[in-house]
Amino acid sequence: MNPSQATHRSAASNADASTIYRTRRDPDASATVSVIRAVAEVEDVTPGDLPVLGDVIDPEALDGVFEDGQRVGRSNARLSFDYCGYTVTVTEDVVTLDIR
């Protein structure tokens, strides 16, 4: 991930002290892949080292919220869930990790 795509934030340096990472979603990647990549980046591990995402959220349902054919009427969709000690928020364009 290049620096123009991701922003690391320290709690002391911004008004929203709980946000520690925010990245633009790759338009060619699913929401599930975007979440796994973001958490792996913050945790400094490979995606395979992370716990199974399916233990906390249905990956097919997550992807379905943001798929092109499923977005009609959902242009402002936002989905949040807890994973790996973070509150993960996914929108059509961004993945944000907040400290729980």
Side-chain angles (χ1 to χ4, degrees):
M1 183 157 307
N2 71 45
S4 66
Q5 293 176 311
T7 304
H8 292 270
R9 299 180 181 182
S10 70
S13 69
N14 70 63
D16 184 5
S18 66
T19 299
I20 62 161
Y21 187 82
R22 180 180 177 95
T23 187
R24 297 203 54 79
R25 286 192 44 215
D26 178 349
D28 297 325
S30 68
T32 298
V33 168
S34 297
V35 167
I36 295 296
R37 285 178 181 166
V39 175
E41 174 83 13
V42 170
E43 292 291 311
D44 196 26
V45 298
T46 64
D49 292 333
L50 294 174
V52 176
L53 183 62
D55 289 347
V56 297
I57 191 166
D58 180 343
E60 289 180 15
L62 171 61
D63 291 342
V65 170
F66 300 101
E67 285 177 355
D68 288 337
Q70 303 297 318
R71 285 197 317 237
V72 176
R74 296 188 208 173
S75 63
N76 292 321
R78 170 184 297 260
L79 190 100
S80 295
F81 57 93
D82 292 335
Y83 179 61
C84 291
Y86 304 101
T87 298
V88 178
T89 301
V90 182
T91 66
E92 185 174 326
D93 299 323
V94 176
V95 173
T96 303
L97 304 180
D98 293 311
I99 297 173
R100 289 195 279 158

